[in-house]
């Protein structure tokens, strides 16, 4: 079952901008490599030879074929096997943003190749899903039939119906979100593969034009998504989000003009975006975007004159019982990104309750990361497989059923419920690096498989961890001054066997 998705933070913040060491007992390098491994566990399609997560096999090999399209690949959303285009695009955007912002930090942790691979697994799929300018395949499988069964992806018997948006059935939100993902990934790939980067950008531009010209909410066109990832805030925010990323990717003033001129009509200044300083004629509007971003940050930092985000007694930001951790990871990422921007411009965050220097923002972000990794009332790591005490009954079909390599016979739809879902044993496969939904508002957490609000991981929740952990890793090693504008390291497929494999061996 997939949780409701980021109505607050999804596409609601864009910081297009560019310390002192923190003493830490946590190994953020290990946390980083593991959080990337989770994306391997979520891979659909034909797995590559360098797949590290060995309990997974090929799956979804005829996705899209019923409709005459090849939609093999991409990511399963969570503990289920639907490929939801909207959160997948958000996850790829956040992975790409992590890479753009913290490339040196990721490289220093030897995770550059794994990060690029995680992004490309998503973008290769988006390219398949977008073969004509005004058609985007936005979903494969559906929540209702998928959730009826508890089986491994490799055994899937559920319908793999594909759903699209087009000129007559528009979906500006999903098309805009995918355009943003491709534009961001195009920036991320530029130093490593310029032809691939250009290809991603071409698709991003086409998708944005499609989203803008044929306007509509995608859940009016793909109604089966409504119970899972509805278009909560409409499509206006995604249009602005896509245009902002396209401006960042192209430097084309037309996109910036779009963001500014539509800021009121599309509600942009009603939520938080911040643009970099390439903005002469548009300062006033961009200042409004910045004010919204700062309001959001101050509220998270508990410095907003009483209008703050709630926190648990144990010190975790608290938004919702259902997969609260996705909000925590996104907020903490935005804090480290903004702290970097402030440090670069030698400034502080002005909150209603006082000025906050970048180091204090980093400290707050780190408090959230520490909570995630075990500094909490349950002394539990909500990142699976990190240190000794972590959830063992993760709500995840593949992790909860013995691997095909050990149990080759198919496990049927309802058989999976009887033998595996209802089992009192812990999962046979440790799904390393999965960020589960996490505790409730009183830091309570019940590690049972049926408790999907707390024990299910999602790709959307995991993606911002990459930038967060990469930054904290550098800081914990006392190398807080790593510049993000440095020369990119050469990337080679062969050189990327990560620390993760050693850890797992
Ligand atoms: C760049 O991307 C293209 C298109 O996906 C791929 O065929 C090629 O092998 C990549 N080049 C490198 C150097 O990775
Ligand atoms: C916009 O802001 C930048 C940086 O703060 C400044 O250099 C520039 O003069 C401003 N432009 C206008 C038209 O106000």
């Amino acid at each position: 079952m997939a949780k409701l998705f980021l109505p607050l933070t999804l596409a609601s913040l864009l910081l297009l901008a560019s310390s002192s060491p923190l003493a830490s007992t946590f190994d953020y390098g290990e946390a980083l490599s593991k959080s990337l491994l989770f994306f391997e566990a979520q891979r659909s399609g034909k797995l590559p030879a360098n797949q590290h997560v060995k309990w997974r096999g090929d799956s979804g090999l005829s996705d899209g074929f019923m409709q005459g399209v090849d939609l093999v690949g991409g990511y399963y959303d969570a503990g289920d096997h639907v490929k939801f285009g909207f959160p997948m695009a958000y996850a790829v955007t956040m992975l790409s943003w992590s890479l753009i912002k913290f490339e040196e930090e990721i490289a220093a942790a030897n995770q550059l190749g794994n990060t690029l691979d995680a992004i490309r697994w998503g973008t290769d799929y988006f390219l398949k899903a977008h073969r004509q300018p005004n058609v985007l395949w936005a979903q494969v499988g559906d929540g209702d039939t998928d959730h009826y069964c508890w089986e491994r992806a490799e055994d899937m018997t559920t319908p793999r119906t594909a759903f699209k948006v087009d000129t007559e059935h528009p979906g500006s939100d999903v098309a805009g979100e995918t355009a943003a993902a491709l534009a961001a990934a195009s920036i991320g790939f530029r130093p490593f593969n310029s032809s691939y980067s250009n290809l991603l950008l071409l698709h991003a531009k086409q998708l944005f034009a499609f989203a803008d010209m044929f306007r509509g909410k995608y859940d009016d066109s793909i109604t089966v998504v409504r119970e899972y990832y509805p278009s909560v805030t409409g499509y206006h925010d995604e249009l602005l989000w896509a245009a902002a990323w396209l401006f960042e990717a192209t430097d084309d003033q037309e996109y910036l003009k779009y963001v500014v001129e539509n800021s009121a009509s599309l509600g942009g200044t009603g939520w938080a975006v911040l643009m970099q300083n390439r903005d002469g004629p548009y300062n006033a509007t961009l200042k409004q975007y910045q004010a919204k971003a700062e309001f959001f940050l101050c509220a998270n930092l508990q410095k907003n004159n009483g209008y703050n985000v709630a926190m648990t007694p144990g010190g975790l930001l608290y938004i919702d019982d259902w997969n609260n951790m996705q909000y925590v990871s996104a907020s903490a990422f935005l804090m480290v990104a903004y702290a970097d921007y402030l440090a670069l411009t030698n400034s502080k965050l002005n909150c209603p309750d006082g000025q906050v220097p970048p180091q204090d923002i980093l400290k707050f972000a780190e408090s959230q990361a520490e909570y995630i990794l075990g500094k909490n009332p349950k002394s539990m790591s909500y990142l699976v497989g990190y240190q000794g005490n972590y959830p063992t009954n993760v709500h995840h079909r593949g992790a909860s059923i013995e691997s095909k390599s050990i149990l080759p016979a198919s496990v049927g739809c309802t058989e999976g419920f009887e033998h595996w879902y209802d089992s009192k044993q812990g999962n046979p496969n440790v799904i390393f690096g999965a960020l589960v939904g996490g505790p409730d508002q009183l830091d309570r957490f019940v590690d049972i498989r049926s408790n999907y609000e707390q024990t299910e991981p999602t790709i959307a929740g995991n993606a911002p961890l990459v930038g967060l952990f990469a930054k904290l890793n550098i800081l914990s090693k006392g190398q807080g001054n790593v510049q993000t504008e440095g020369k990119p390291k050469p990337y080679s497929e062969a050189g990327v066997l990560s620390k993760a494999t050693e850890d797992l061996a």
Side-chain angles (χ1 to χ4, degrees), residues 364-388:
F364 193 98
E366 185 173 43
S367 75
Q368 301 305 292
E370 288 179 335
Y371 189 110
I372 288 172
L373 296 178
K375 194 172 168 188
N376 58 59
K378 309 261 322 178
S379 297
M380 167 158 296
S381 168
Y382 295 104
L383 194 80
V384 177
Y386 182 87
Q387 295 184 351

Side-chain angles (χ1 to χ4, degrees), residues 120 124 192-196 199 491 493:
R120 191 195 271 257
D124 280 348
F192 307 103
N193 189 332
S194 60
S195 64
Y196 191 63
L199 182 66
Y491 162 57
E493 296 278 348

Side-chain angles (χ1 to χ4, degrees), residues 107-130:
N110 198 21
Q111 293 303 315
L112 193 50
N114 288 334
T115 303
L116 287 163
D117 286 350
I119 296 169
R120 191 195 271 257
W121 199 266
T123 50
D124 280 348
Y125 173 76
F126 294 143
L127 297 181
K128 287 183 165 188
H130 183 238

Side-chain angles (χ1 to χ4, degrees), residues 277 279-281 283 287:
N277 259 347
D279 52 0
N283 281 6
K287 282 259 177 302

Side-chain angles (χ1 to χ4, degrees), residues 466-489:
V466 172
L468 174 68
F469 289 150
K471 177 70 182 178
L472 294 177
N473 181 50
I474 287 290
L475 291 173
S476 69
K477 293 182 157 55
Q479 298 167 285
N481 295 324
V482 166
Q483 294 293 316
T484 49
E485 273 103 337
K487 282 232 172 61
K489 305 254 184 318

Side-chain angles (χ1 to χ4, degrees), residues 443-457:
D443 303 295
R444 293 171 302 197
F445 179 80
V446 182
D447 182 16
I448 52 174
R449 219 167 276 122
S450 55
N451 183 13
Y452 52 81
E453 297 195 358
Q454 296 196 322
T455 63
E456 185 173 23

Side-chain angles (χ1 to χ4, degrees), residues 6-13 90 241 296 300 326-327 330-331 334:
L6 283 180
L8 264 180
T9 38
L10 168 69
S12 74
L13 283 127
Y90 165 77
W241 170 248
F296 175 87
N300 275 280
Q326 67 180 324
Y327 307 105
S331 294
L334 292 167

